[in-house]
Amino acid sequence: MAVPPPARPRCLLPLSLGLFQGALLLFFALFVTYDEPSVRAEDVNLVANQLYGIFPLFQDIQVMLVVGLGLLLTFLPRYGLSVLTHNFLLLNFSTQWALMLQGLLHHFHHGQVHLDLRNLLTAEFAAVTVLISVGAVLGRTSPCQLLVVATCEVPVYLASEWAIITRLGVLDVGGTITIHVFSCYFGLGVSKALFGAARQPVHPKETTTPRSDLLSLVGTLILWVFWPSFVSVLCQPGDAQHRAILNTFLAMSASAVTTMVVSSLLERDNKLSPGHLQNGSLAGGVAIGAVADMAVPPVAALALGSLSAVACILGFKFLTPLLARKLTLQDQCGIHNLHGLPGILGAAASAVAILVASEDTSRSRFSQVSPVGGNTSEAAWGWWGDRGAGGQALCQAVGLVVAIGGSLLAGLLTRAALRLPCLAQPPERLCFDDSLYFKIRDQAESLGPGGTAEEGALALKERV
């Protein structure tokens, strides 16, 4: 009598997403509504002007996150489908999760949550932190593990952002500290928690190809074009937003040129490294966020963009191998070089800019809309009035420490959830491979030596 094969565990991804979507539908049905339309003509015109001012920038950010960031991560030649799909999934999941939490924490009044475009935009900022963080563990984690990371990271980000912007009054209109630094060290904490016991060997499928590098560079160019919208969207309309756009462009232009110069000097035969171009060209946009709306001279934006590009490239060349060798720290996409180092540099630049600013113009120079509503320049003015420029510069430094320490600790603590038996990591042989998650024609070839399509199907059902 033949013994039936053992029952295979059911895939957790559809079940978990289905439960989450059902809970979200219930929450929206019970509590969420749109803002009531205004009856006065002047109010209608004001709302229309605000919508027309923010929606084009919102569209730019959508292109950045869905297309630009997705393509940037396709440098792994056999993992492109998975990267694009997981990026798209995490963006939507994290945005919905942030909308629910923000509604309960900040916008719950008289039993209802009023939803508007600004709330949606700030929820997407929370999702950005997740998209950056998972870059540290790209290719070696399952979709369910990535969803657990998003579930844990979004509430920690909201708490961190509240503490840094609302309580400390830190000036960070472009998210240099609250988004880039936070997400970087949260991702590194998660990576250390998962892979810190032993150094991960170089996987044969990690080697890039000219085609994968080309796709990734296209993603870089898309991000480069639309980055000023990301930095300036929460600025006060008018002079502050105008300055943010100009400063961001200057910083990113300088980082692009500097990247080509430094990369050619560091590589053999003065040739350019595709990895340097894909990351160093964006470093200026990360660093400028903390000072984008300040009335700094144009040369300061150019200098900050150049310095951030140098820091990014030197990080890829020297720091990443050192951290992998000494601390067994896995950073698959180099988020420490693109987001961590330029973010720290930008935070330091904001403190310097505040110290050299004249106090009589500080009110007009520093104005920022808080993601949870209101103008943080009025809240931060209490620090300016009581402690002067030195007090606000100190707040910038404290905010940076809070972002690094809190996110790193939270990332390490995420280990408890990621180590659950039902969240097994993909087998080493099938890491960085689309065949684990997609039906593709050349599955037998993609599985590598000794692999079979049956093994791939089994891994798909048991390891996702």
Side-chain angles (χ1 to χ4, degrees):
M1 180 177 179
V3 178
R8 294 170 179 172
R10 180 174 297 179
C11 177
L12 295 177
L13 184 62
L15 178 62
S16 57
L17 286 177
L19 291 175
F20 171 77
Q21 204 65 43
L24 184 78
L25 288 172
L26 180 62
F27 175 78
F28 268 62
L30 294 177
F31 303 113
V32 179
T33 182
Y34 295 118
D35 282 335
E36 294 294 331
S38 178
V39 296
R40 294 186 300 176
E42 57 270 21
D43 290 339
V44 173
N45 293 334
L46 177 62
V47 171
N49 291 334
Q50 291 176 343
L51 174 62
Y52 298 147
I54 194 175
F55 186 66
L57 304 180
F58 175 79
Q59 285 181 308
D60 293 349
I61 295 171
Q62 293 289 95
V63 176
M64 285 180 64
L65 301 182
V66 176
V67 185
L69 184 57
L71 289 177
L72 177 64
L73 301 177
T74 58
F75 62 92
L76 296 170
R78 293 191 175 185
Y79 204 62
L81 285 173
S82 300
V83 162
L84 289 170
T85 304
H86 295 166
N87 182 76
F88 192 45
L89 171 63
L90 287 174
L91 173 62
N92 286 281
F93 175 86
S94 303
T95 300
Q96 294 179 26
W97 178 223
L99 278 175
M100 184 185 299
L101 293 178
Q102 279 186 344
L104 292 174
L105 294 174
H106 303 298
H107 307 293
F108 195 81
H109 304 291
H110 307 294
Q112 286 188 326
V113 176
H114 292 278
L115 183 65
D116 59 20
L117 187 58
R118 185 172 294 277
N119 298 345
L120 181 60
L121 179 63
T122 55
E124 282 208 329
F125 279 6
V128 171
T129 63
V130 177
L131 301 183
I132 295 172
S133 295
V134 298
V137 293
L138 186 72
R140 295 185 183 270
T141 45
S142 68
C144 277
Q145 287 180 308
L146 298 181
L147 291 177
V148 170
V149 171
T151 303
C152 297
E153 183 171 4
V154 168
V156 177
Y157 162 76
L158 294 177
S160 173
E161 188 277 335
W162 175 82
I164 293 172
I165 299 298
T166 305
R167 301 305 300 171
L168 290 175
V170 171
L171 301 170
D172 184 27
V173 69
T176 295
I177 301 171
T178 55
I179 294 178
H180 295 286
V181 171
F182 173 88
S183 58
C184 167
Y185 289 97
F186 187 96
L188 294 181
V190 170
S191 178
K192 184 65 177 177
L194 281 176
F195 311 116
R199 185 177 178 182
Q200 295 295 314
V202 177
H203 199 284
K205 297 173 186 176
E206 290 184 67
T207 305
T208 63
T209 65
R211 181 178 178 274
S212 65
D213 277 331
L214 178 60
L215 284 176
S216 182
L217 187 56
V218 170
T220 297
L221 297 179
I222 293 173
L223 288 169
W224 193 93
V225 168
F226 292 111
W227 204 288
S229 296
F230 180 85
V231 172
S232 64
V233 67
L234 289 183
C235 291
Q236 289 289 345
D239 291 341
Q241 195 169 59
H242 188 205
R243 284 195 300 268
I245 294 172
L246 293 176
N247 285 332
T248 304
F249 175 81
L250 291 176
M252 299 198 69
S253 180
S255 65
V257 175
T258 303
T259 295
M260 297 187 184
V261 173
V262 177
S263 179
S264 63
L265 291 176
L266 291 178
E267 296 299 317
R268 291 183 178 180
D269 302 326
N270 299 121
K271 294 184 178 180
L272 297 174
S273 167
H276 293 168
L277 293 178
Q278 293 155 8
N279 294 274
S281 302
L282 303 174
V286 174
I288 197 65
V291 297
D293 60 338
M294 301 182 185
V296 296
V299 67
L302 289 169
L304 184 58
S306 296
L307 289 175
S308 61
V310 172
C312 178
I313 296 173
L314 293 180
F316 273 105
K317 190 70 175 179
F318 303 108
L319 186 58
T320 295
L322 179 65
L323 294 177
R325 185 172 61 254
K326 297 296 185 180
L327 302 179
T328 63
L329 185 61
Q330 173 83 16
D331 185 5
Q332 191 63 47
C333 294
I335 62 173
H336 189 233
N337 306 314
L338 176 55
H339 302 276
L341 298 179
I344 294 173
L345 187 62
S350 69
V352 173
I354 289 169
L355 288 174
V356 301
S358 57
E359 195 164 317
D360 59 344
T361 58
S362 58
R363 281 184 182 269
S364 62
R365 289 187 178 198
F366 310 120
S367 59
Q368 165 186 353
V369 177
S370 169
V372 298
N375 189 330
T376 61
S377 63
E378 293 300 321
W381 180 254
W383 293 94
W384 276 92
D386 296 339
R387 303 185 183 183
Q392 182 62 35
L394 178 61
C395 286
Q396 300 295 113
V398 173
L400 177 64
V401 173
V402 170
I404 295 176
S407 60
L408 190 58
L409 178 61
L412 290 170
L413 294 177
T414 307
R415 171 192 176 97
L418 294 176
R419 287 295 185 179
L420 293 175
C422 58
L423 297 176
Q425 294 171 213
E428 181 67 18
R429 183 174 54 83
L430 294 177
C431 287
F432 310 106
D433 201 320
D434 286 329
S435 65
L436 186 58
Y437 308 110
F438 288 89
K439 291 183 178 180
I440 53 180
R441 292 185 178 181
D442 58 341
Q443 268 195 358
E445 178 183 349
S446 297
L447 289 172
T452 65
E454 182 180 358
E455 290 175 345
L458 178 63
L460 173 63
K461 293 185 177 181
E462 295 187 350
R463 299 294 187 182
V464 171

